[in-house]
Amino acid sequence: IAGITQAPTSQILAAGRRMTLRCTQDMRHNAMYWYRQDLGLGLRLIHYSNTAGTTGKGEVPDGYSVSRANTDDFPLTLASAVPSQTSVYFCASSDHAGGYNEQFFGPGTRLTVL
Amino acid sequence: AQSVTQLGSHVSVSEGALVLLRCNYSSSVPPYLFWYVQYPNQGLQLLLKYTSAATLVKGINGFEAEFKKSETSFHLTKPSAHMSDAAEYFCAVSDRTGTASKLTFGTGTRLQVTL
């Protein structure tokens, strides 16, 4: 069982370029999330999806968009990357929305915007 | 708004010594609380969670945490540190009132274990 896969593992991107980070889960979880991890700031929620077809904004949504066309996939798009979006991005999922549910995390994507 | 504060960005202990990682929360309603661990170059994995069933929560790898409402704390402990415990640890809080599982993380504590 793979759990959550993320692609690419790492990427160096020129500022102004468009980039999509991919996330796929095989656990049939209803809820999915995108976080960014920055040194000294912990993890911050970018966007989330309670179920296929719905999305919501997290703490730091500006400059990012998401879609949830099906249960398994939750891509994160940077329409025009800026250096401040240099970070490690983690995708996560949980069986259901609701605060008590464990979230399962992918291995992360390290993104550098120059 | 809910938040968590982790005291100490770095903690160093000797192998076999007590591990104590501190977490204080702020929430307008009784929260759900979590501890996650992150090993180098990996994603996070759940150590334990508090959902109000019991104030002392036991997790994996010998870790436990006690919910103390009067102190708004959820400190993580392990009686005897092992070299394999070296990692970064995150405390997180989730709101009971919403329908989304929106976790708010602390800034993390890096645990170093020395011989």
Side-chain angles (χ1 to χ4, degrees), chain A residues 16-32:
Chain A
R17 296 296 297 270
R18 180 184 181 90
M19 177 73 191
T20 295
L21 307 185
R22 300 186 297 278
C23 173
T24 300
Q25 53 106 355
D26 63 3
M27 298 175 283
R28 306 303 293 172
H29 283 173
N30 286 299
M32 297 187 74

Side-chain angles (χ1 to χ4, degrees), chain B residues 53-69:
Chain B
T55 57
L56 182 63
V57 182
K58 295 187 182 298
I60 62 172
N61 301 338
F63 284 92
E64 64 182 36
E66 186 173 8
F67 174 73
K68 292 187 176 180
K69 184 178 179 180

Side-chain angles (χ1 to χ4, degrees), chain B residues 28-39:
Chain B
S28 58
V29 297
Y32 297 115
L33 292 161
F34 304 79
W35 275 100
Y36 282 84
V37 60
Q38 184 180 32
Y39 298 102

Side-chain angles (χ1 to χ4, degrees), chain A residues 28-70:
Chain A
R28 306 303 293 172
H29 283 173
N30 286 299
M32 297 187 74
Y33 317 85
W34 274 105
Y35 294 89
R36 59 177 291 172
Q37 183 178 24
D38 302 289
L39 193 62
L41 297 177
L43 281 82
R44 294 178 291 168
L45 182 66
I46 304 171
H47 285 287
Y48 66 93
S49 169
N50 284 350
T51 188
T54 69
T55 63
K57 294 181 179 180
E59 181 184 353
V60 288
D62 294 343
Y64 306 94
S65 64
V66 292
S67 61
R68 187 88 184 278
N70 57 61

